[in-house]
Each structure stands twice: as structure tokens, then as C-alpha cells.
Amino acid sequence: MSTQLRLHIQKIVSLTDSEFDFVLSHFTVRKFKKHQFLVQEGNYVNNDFWVVKGLVKACYSDMDRKEHIMQFAMEDWWVTDYQAYFNQTKATLNVSCLEDTEVLCLSLENREKICAGLHKIEHFFRKKANAGYMALQRRILSLLNNNAQERYEQFLVQYPALLQRIPKTLIASYLGVSRETLSRLSPS
Amino acid sequence: MSTQLRLHIQKIVSLTDSEFDFVLSHFTVRKFKKHQFLVQEGNYVNNDFWVVKGLVKACYSDMDRKEHIMQFAMEDWWVTDYQAYFNQTKATLNVSCLEDTEVLCLSLENREKICAGLHKIEHFFRKKANAGYMALQRRILSLLNNNAQERYEQFLVQYPALLQRIPKTLIASYLGVSRETLSRLSPS
DNA sequence: CGCGCGATTGAGTAATTTCAAATCTAGTGG
DNA sequence: CCACTAGATTTGAAATTACTCAATCGCGCG
């Protein structure tokens, strides 16, 4: 599990054993059951979560109790309510488990410590943030450009692994269409 | 103009004179006229641009020649086709001037150099990337949650300065609605 | 004045949503 | 093995929203 994190980081920067130990010592492990919350709307957000095993969703509930999915996160992905985490404000998103899930938790204080203490880790997180930024840009373009059918097809090729693990209802609310509309899309 | 950049950076990290000189020496100044392109679809993207003065749009042209606006950028904002810039691939976006515009250009090579040479600059760009990520998340939620009317109202409060400088047509394509629909929204 | 660009308006059309009902499926307990 | 249930998916029909196409309006500027 710590090996797994090390591999994840080393896709971007290489670390010595002692450097990695330093980094790892700032994380804590936690396990959650399906339906449990990692982050709950209205509460302060103490951690960024790196998913070791399992699957979660981060979503916003609007005034009509309708859910809009900000992101999914499975093995190797990072997730939290970043707005609330970085600004130390109360969450507007809920992050909850779609499966039993194990995560590594990183508090904002510890994130800043390891970034300050190890230039390479600051580099790692900069690269991660850039990659995340690009991914969101692609998603915005997809929302602006493409109709429901096209967005669904893109999702299929982009995240085939998720299809197996997530009910269509949730994919619909990730794509910004009603579940009925998604259901009516012609199987390409 | 260099003072302006220094102030911009110092909102996040403080630099000594020599540190700032080091950073500044990796930028080049360029001026563009209204309608000129900073980035053109199909070409490689050499620079990230920091707008000193003026206003540009970054947009994607779909198969029907319809434009979808990824972002605007005015004074103090950064803009380029990040997908192409970071991955050193050909641009899919066009970045062009809505006004005569002066920019500071930063090549990817120079960006990596100053990040490697000055931990504080790597920190600066990490913070910037995080802020950008959060902004895109808000925009995605707005696209998922809100109808045309609500998105327009949000735009008005979020970017009142842009309203004065940008034709409504472009705001429409930023918000993902037709100009006719935008025009029909009741003035709140 | 007349041109050109942007904004508006009208009318018909297409896409999507909503609400309601029916169907399917996997898991549970008898 | 079967009946039952909860959750997920599908289908139908009406209502709504936004789009397209076309025409018109308004205004600044040479």
C-alpha cells in the first residue's frame, strides 16, 4: 500500500527511501464502508484523500435535492472538496463511498510541510494540479461542445473501468443529463 | 510592467530583487494587435502568456465553425492552450486578441528552469494551478446545476469588468448558450 | 448617408426534462 | 427452488427549454 503510493509519486519524481519515508509519515490510513462519507457538506474539510482501494463520488446536492457529480475517484486518484480544503472553509460537496474504500489522508498542514521540506514533492503536486486542470478543461469543452450522446460515448472510451462499477444514474449526473435521457441514447 | 509581474507573484511568494531578476529574465515581451493570434489551432504552442495589458479569448472551433470559449484573459491573467503547451503537442484552441494586447511570454523550458532553480517559484505555480483547478470546478458545477439565466447572472457578478469589454455573443458562447437565448434572458 | 457589427425579436423545430408507470435484476430469506 | 424486495433501468407522453433560421433594429463611424 505504501509501495503503491511510492509508485504513484515516482511516475513524476523519484525519491530516496528516506525521502519517501518522510513523505509517507505525513499520511494516515483510513477505511470506510460503502455509503460512508469522507467529506460532508457543511463541515470543515481536514484532508485530501488518495484512494488506495475502492471507489467514491464527490457531488453537489442542489436545492431540489438533485445530485450533480463533480468527480469519481478510484484507485490511485485524489479526491476531496478542494474548494473547502484549500480555503479551509466548509464543504459544499459530499464525498461518499460507492464501495468499501481505503484511503491515505493528507491534511493541508502536512501537504504544505512536505512541499516546503522537499522541493521534489512540491514539483509533484504542481504537475498533478496541472494535469487536473487540463482534465477539467477537457470536461468543460465536452459540456459546451457535445450533446448527451457524444458525451456519453466519450465517457465510455475515457473511463471504461468505471462503467462496470457505477450505476448509470450516477454517470448521467456526471454528464449533466437526466437518467432517462441517458437510458434513451442509442447504444453506439 | 515588470513591477506589475512582481506584484502578481508576490501575492503568493515574496522574492528578493535578484530572485525576481532571475525570474524576469526568463520572460519575453510581445505585443499583439486586435484580431491577432497568440496561439493558432494546429501549431505547436511555445508559450504560456501573462497578460500585461489588453484582452484575449481562448476558444475551440467545432466542426460547424461554431466557437466555444474556454476562457477569457485580461490584465494579470494567464492564458494559453495548456493541453498543447504542457504536452508539447499541436494546439486545438485558438487564442486571439479582442483588444490590442501586451503579454509576457514564458516557454515551457523556461518555466521548468525557474521552477527548478527557485523553490518559491515552483510553489507559486502550484498555488496558481490549484486556484485554476478550483475555478474550473466552479464552472463545471455551474454548467451542471444552473440554467442559462442563472449562469448569466453568476457571470455578471463574477466578472463585471468583462461585461464592458466583451460582446454578448462571446459571453453566450462562454456560457454555452446561443446568443439569441442570452438575449432573451430577463434582465434580473 | 449608408455600411457593418452587434443585439433583438418572431416563429417553428429539436432536444431534453419531467412525471408516471412498467420492467428488469440481484440478493435475501423461507 | 421460489417468492419477495429494493434498486436500477427502461419506456411513454406531455411540457419545457433552448436552438435554428430569418428578419429587423440600433448605433457608431468613415
Side-chain angles (χ1 to χ4, degrees):
Chain A
M1 180 213 75
S2 60
T3 337
Q4 198 184 334
L5 178 66
R6 186 161 183 178
L7 286 174
H8 174 69
I9 295 174
Q10 297 211 344
K11 280 178 201 156
I12 294 176
V13 291
S14 59
L15 298 177
T16 67
D17 287 353
S18 71
E19 283 170 344
F20 178 68
D21 289 345
F22 167 71
V23 171
L24 185 62
S25 71
H26 290 80
F27 284 82
T28 58
V29 191
R30 285 180 69 186
K31 295 184 181 200
F32 294 87
K33 291 280 176 198
K34 187 170 174 171
H35 297 128
Q36 278 193 304
F37 288 82
L38 310 205
V39 168
Q40 203 152 3
E41 187 186 342
N43 294 344
Y44 286 99
V45 176
N46 297 313
N47 294 296
D48 191 4
F49 303 95
W50 184 72
V51 178
V52 178
K53 178 99 196 65
L55 178 59
V56 307
K57 64 175 177 183
C59 62
Y60 175 80
S61 288
D62 68 18
M63 290 170 304
D64 310 330
R65 286 288 117 200
K66 253 197 339 192
E67 277 192 350
H68 303 276
I69 302 221
M70 186 68 251
Q71 67 161 120
F72 297 109
M74 56 181 182
E75 291 79 11
D76 264 29
W77 292 28
W78 294 84
V79 65
T80 194
D81 179 339
Y82 287 102
Q83 197 81 37
Y85 173 73
F86 285 128
N87 300 324
Q88 302 274 275
T89 55
K90 290 177 180 173
T92 57
L93 301 182
N94 291 300
V95 181
S96 63
C97 298
L98 300 174
E99 301 174 359
D100 293 353
T101 297
E102 184 180 340
V103 295
L104 287 173
C105 310
L106 179 62
S107 70
L108 184 61
E109 197 187 336
N110 280 342
R111 168 191 290 251
E112 296 306 318
K113 268 190 200 156
I114 60 179
C115 281
L118 239 189
H119 191 157
K120 280 190 272 186
I121 287 296
E122 185 119 44
H123 182 77
F124 169 78
F125 279 114
R126 176 170 69 92
K127 291 293 177 181
K128 275 286 155 194
N130 286 153
Y133 186 84
M134 290 187 281
L136 294 190
Q137 279 203 340
R138 283 193 299 275
R139 186 165 171 205
I140 287 173
L141 269 191
S142 170
L143 286 168
L144 294 180
N145 263 330
N146 303 126
N147 60 25
Q149 171 92 42
E150 293 164 335
R151 294 207 296 278
Y152 184 52
E153 283 166 15
Q154 276 186 233
F155 186 92
L156 295 186
V157 299
Q158 205 167 0
Y159 306 112
L162 286 180
L163 244 212
Q164 315 304 321
R165 298 165 73 175
I166 298 180
K168 296 254 167 62
T169 305
L170 294 182
I171 295 178
S173 75
Y174 176 89
L175 296 174
V177 297
S178 68
R179 61 174 173 263
E180 293 95 334
T181 299
L182 189 73
S183 166
R184 278 185 255 258
L185 297 180
S186 62
S188 62
Chain B
M1 179 211 75
S2 61
T3 338
Q4 197 183 333
L5 178 66
R6 186 162 183 177
L7 287 173
H8 175 69
I9 296 173
Q10 297 211 343
K11 279 177 200 157
I12 293 177
V13 292
S14 60
L15 298 178
T16 65
D17 287 354
S18 71
E19 284 171 343
F20 179 68
D21 288 345
F22 167 71
V23 170
L24 186 62
S25 71
H26 290 80
F27 284 82
T28 58
V29 192
R30 285 179 69 187
K31 295 185 181 199
F32 295 86
K33 291 282 176 197
K34 186 169 175 172
H35 297 128
Q36 279 194 303
F37 288 82
L38 311 205
V39 169
Q40 203 151 2
E41 188 186 342
N43 295 344
Y44 286 99
V45 175
N46 298 312
N47 293 295
D48 190 5
F49 303 95
W50 183 72
V51 178
V52 178
K53 179 99 195 66
L55 177 60
V56 307
K57 64 174 177 183
C59 60
Y60 175 80
S61 288
D62 68 17
M63 289 170 306
D64 311 330
R65 287 287 116 201
K66 253 196 341 192
E67 278 192 351
H68 302 276
I69 302 222
M70 188 66 251
Q71 68 162 119
F72 297 109
M74 56 181 182
E75 290 80 12
D76 263 29
W77 292 29
W78 294 84
V79 65
T80 194
D81 180 338
Y82 288 103
Q83 197 81 34
Y85 174 73
F86 285 127
N87 300 324
Q88 302 275 275
T89 55
K90 290 177 180 175
T92 57
L93 302 182
N94 290 300
V95 180
S96 63
C97 298
L98 300 174
E99 302 174 359
D100 292 355
T101 297
E102 184 180 339
V103 294
L104 287 173
C105 309
L106 179 62
S107 70
L108 183 62
E109 196 187 335
N110 280 341
R111 168 191 288 252
E112 295 306 318
K113 267 190 201 156
I114 61 178
C115 280
L118 239 188
H119 190 157
K120 280 190 274 187
I121 286 297
E122 185 119 44
H123 182 76
F124 168 78
F125 279 115
R126 175 170 69 92
K127 291 294 178 182
K128 274 287 155 194
N130 286 155
Y133 186 84
M134 290 187 280
L136 294 191
Q137 279 203 340
R138 284 194 298 276
R139 187 167 171 204
I140 286 173
L141 269 191
S142 171
L143 286 167
L144 294 180
N145 264 329
N146 304 125
N147 60 24
Q149 170 94 42
E150 293 164 335
R151 295 209 296 279
Y152 184 51
E153 283 166 13
Q154 276 186 234
F155 186 92
L156 294 185
V157 300
Q158 205 168 0
Y159 306 111
L162 287 180
L163 244 212
Q164 316 304 321
R165 297 166 71 175
I166 298 179
K168 296 252 167 65
T169 304
L170 293 182
I171 295 178
S173 75
Y174 177 88
L175 296 174
V177 296
S178 69
R179 59 174 175 264
E180 293 95 334
T181 299
L182 190 74
S183 167
R184 276 184 257 259
L185 296 180
S186 63
S188 62

Short mmCIF file of all heavy atoms in Angstrom, two decimals, chain A residues 148 177-178 180-181 184, chain C residues 15-20:
data_model
loop_
_atom_site.label_atom_id
_atom_site.label_comp_id
_atom_site.label_asym_id
_atom_site.label_seq_id
_atom_site.Cartn_x
_atom_site.Cartn_y
_atom_site.Cartn_z
N ALA A 148 -25.64 15.01 -25.40
CA ALA A 148 -25.65 13.92 -24.42
C ALA A 148 -25.02 12.65 -25.00
O ALA A 148 -24.16 12.02 -24.38
CB ALA A 148 -27.07 13.64 -23.97
N VAL A 177 -26.97 15.02 -17.66
CA VAL A 177 -28.26 14.70 -18.29
C VAL A 177 -29.09 13.89 -17.30
O VAL A 177 -28.57 13.35 -16.34
CB VAL A 177 -28.09 13.88 -19.58
CG1 VAL A 177 -27.35 14.67 -20.63
CG2 VAL A 177 -27.40 12.56 -19.30
N SER A 178 -30.39 13.81 -17.56
CA SER A 178 -31.24 13.01 -16.69
C SER A 178 -30.99 11.53 -16.98
O SER A 178 -30.58 11.17 -18.07
CB SER A 178 -32.70 13.35 -16.92
OG SER A 178 -33.08 12.91 -18.21
N GLU A 180 -33.11 9.29 -17.48
CA GLU A 180 -34.00 8.84 -18.56
C GLU A 180 -33.39 9.13 -19.93
O GLU A 180 -33.44 8.30 -20.82
CB GLU A 180 -35.37 9.52 -18.46
CG GLU A 180 -36.19 9.15 -17.24
CD GLU A 180 -36.00 10.13 -16.10
OE1 GLU A 180 -34.93 10.77 -16.05
OE2 GLU A 180 -36.91 10.26 -15.27
N THR A 181 -32.83 10.32 -20.07
CA THR A 181 -32.21 10.67 -21.35
C THR A 181 -31.04 9.75 -21.64
O THR A 181 -30.90 9.24 -22.75
CB THR A 181 -31.73 12.13 -21.34
OG1 THR A 181 -32.85 12.98 -21.13
CG2 THR A 181 -31.06 12.50 -22.64
N ARG A 184 -32.06 6.52 -22.95
CA ARG A 184 -32.61 6.51 -24.32
C ARG A 184 -31.55 6.65 -25.39
O ARG A 184 -31.85 6.54 -26.58
CB ARG A 184 -33.62 7.65 -24.46
CG ARG A 184 -34.99 7.30 -23.91
CD ARG A 184 -36.00 8.43 -24.18
NE ARG A 184 -36.26 9.17 -22.97
CZ ARG A 184 -37.36 9.03 -22.21
NH1 ARG A 184 -38.30 8.16 -22.57
NH2 ARG A 184 -37.54 9.74 -21.13
P DA C 15 -32.50 16.76 -32.52
OP1 DA C 15 -31.17 16.44 -33.08
OP2 DA C 15 -33.64 15.82 -32.64
"O5'" DA C 15 -32.29 17.10 -30.98
"C5'" DA C 15 -31.57 18.26 -30.60
"C4'" DA C 15 -31.70 18.44 -29.11
"O4'" DA C 15 -33.04 18.88 -28.78
"C3'" DA C 15 -31.45 17.17 -28.30
"O3'" DA C 15 -30.53 17.50 -27.28
"C2'" DA C 15 -32.83 16.79 -27.77
"C1'" DA C 15 -33.54 18.13 -27.70
N9 DA C 15 -34.99 18.11 -27.87
C8 DA C 15 -35.71 17.46 -28.83
N7 DA C 15 -37.01 17.66 -28.75
C5 DA C 15 -37.14 18.51 -27.66
C6 DA C 15 -38.26 19.10 -27.05
N6 DA C 15 -39.53 18.92 -27.47
N1 DA C 15 -38.05 19.89 -25.97
C2 DA C 15 -36.79 20.08 -25.55
N3 DA C 15 -35.65 19.58 -26.05
C4 DA C 15 -35.91 18.80 -27.11
P DT C 16 -29.93 16.40 -26.31
OP1 DT C 16 -28.57 16.84 -25.96
OP2 DT C 16 -30.21 15.06 -26.86
"O5'" DT C 16 -30.84 16.60 -25.01
"C5'" DT C 16 -30.92 17.89 -24.43
"C4'" DT C 16 -31.99 17.91 -23.38
"O4'" DT C 16 -33.29 17.87 -24.00
"C3'" DT C 16 -31.95 16.73 -22.40
"O3'" DT C 16 -31.60 17.26 -21.14
"C2'" DT C 16 -33.34 16.14 -22.46
"C1'" DT C 16 -34.17 17.27 -23.09
N1 DT C 16 -35.37 16.85 -23.86
C2 DT C 16 -36.59 17.40 -23.52
O2 DT C 16 -36.73 18.21 -22.63
N3 DT C 16 -37.65 16.96 -24.29
C4 DT C 16 -37.61 16.05 -25.33
O4 DT C 16 -38.63 15.75 -25.94
C5 DT C 16 -36.30 15.52 -25.62
C7 DT C 16 -36.15 14.51 -26.73
C6 DT C 16 -35.25 15.93 -24.88
P DT C 17 -31.76 16.38 -19.79
OP1 DT C 17 -30.78 16.90 -18.83
OP2 DT C 17 -31.82 14.95 -20.12
"O5'" DT C 17 -33.20 16.85 -19.29
"C5'" DT C 17 -33.49 18.24 -19.23
"C4'" DT C 17 -34.85 18.45 -18.59
"O4'" DT C 17 -35.88 18.05 -19.53
"C3'" DT C 17 -35.08 17.63 -17.32
"O3'" DT C 17 -35.61 18.48 -16.33
"C2'" DT C 17 -36.05 16.55 -17.73
"C1'" DT C 17 -36.80 17.19 -18.89
N1 DT C 17 -37.26 16.23 -19.94
C2 DT C 17 -38.58 16.24 -20.34
O2 DT C 17 -39.40 16.99 -19.86
N3 DT C 17 -38.88 15.34 -21.33
C4 DT C 17 -38.03 14.45 -21.95
O4 DT C 17 -38.42 13.69 -22.83
C5 DT C 17 -36.67 14.48 -21.48
C7 DT C 17 -35.67 13.54 -22.07
C6 DT C 17 -36.35 15.35 -20.51
P DT C 18 -35.82 17.96 -14.84
OP1 DT C 18 -35.62 19.13 -13.96
OP2 DT C 18 -35.04 16.72 -14.65
"O5'" DT C 18 -37.36 17.55 -14.79
"C5'" DT C 18 -38.35 18.49 -15.19
"C4'" DT C 18 -39.71 17.81 -15.21
"O4'" DT C 18 -39.81 16.97 -16.37
"C3'" DT C 18 -39.99 16.91 -14.00
"O3'" DT C 18 -41.21 17.33 -13.42
"C2'" DT C 18 -40.07 15.50 -14.57
"C1'" DT C 18 -40.46 15.77 -16.02
N1 DT C 18 -40.01 14.75 -17.02
C2 DT C 18 -40.92 14.31 -17.95
O2 DT C 18 -42.08 14.68 -17.99
N3 DT C 18 -40.41 13.41 -18.86
C4 DT C 18 -39.11 12.93 -18.91
O4 DT C 18 -38.79 12.12 -19.79
C5 DT C 18 -38.22 13.43 -17.91
C7 DT C 18 -36.79 12.95 -17.89
C6 DT C 18 -38.70 14.30 -17.02
P DC C 19 -41.63 16.94 -11.92
OP1 DC C 19 -42.30 18.12 -11.33
OP2 DC C 19 -40.48 16.31 -11.27
"O5'" DC C 19 -42.74 15.82 -12.17
"C5'" DC C 19 -43.81 16.09 -13.07
"C4'" DC C 19 -44.50 14.79 -13.46
"O4'" DC C 19 -43.72 14.11 -14.47
"C3'" DC C 19 -44.68 13.79 -12.31
"O3'" DC C 19 -46.02 13.36 -12.32
"C2'" DC C 19 -43.70 12.67 -12.65
"C1'" DC C 19 -43.73 12.74 -14.17
N1 DC C 19 -42.59 12.12 -14.88
C2 DC C 19 -42.82 11.53 -16.13
O2 DC C 19 -43.96 11.54 -16.60
N3 DC C 19 -41.78 10.96 -16.79
C4 DC C 19 -40.56 10.97 -16.26
N4 DC C 19 -39.58 10.41 -16.95
C5 DC C 19 -40.31 11.57 -14.98
C6 DC C 19 -41.34 12.14 -14.34
P DA C 20 -46.60 12.48 -11.12
OP1 DA C 20 -47.81 13.18 -10.66
OP2 DA C 20 -45.51 12.12 -10.20
"O5'" DA C 20 -47.04 11.15 -11.89
"C5'" DA C 20 -47.38 11.19 -13.28
"C4'" DA C 20 -47.37 9.79 -13.84
"O4'" DA C 20 -46.11 9.54 -14.50
"C3'" DA C 20 -47.53 8.68 -12.80
"O3'" DA C 20 -48.54 7.77 -13.22
"C2'" DA C 20 -46.16 8.05 -12.72
"C1'" DA C 20 -45.63 8.28 -14.14
N9 DA C 20 -44.19 8.29 -14.24
C8 DA C 20 -43.28 8.83 -13.37
N7 DA C 20 -42.03 8.67 -13.72
C5 DA C 20 -42.11 7.96 -14.92
C6 DA C 20 -41.14 7.48 -15.80
N6 DA C 20 -39.82 7.64 -15.61
N1 DA C 20 -41.57 6.83 -16.90
C2 DA C 20 -42.88 6.67 -17.08
N3 DA C 20 -43.90 7.08 -16.32
C4 DA C 20 -43.43 7.73 -15.24
#
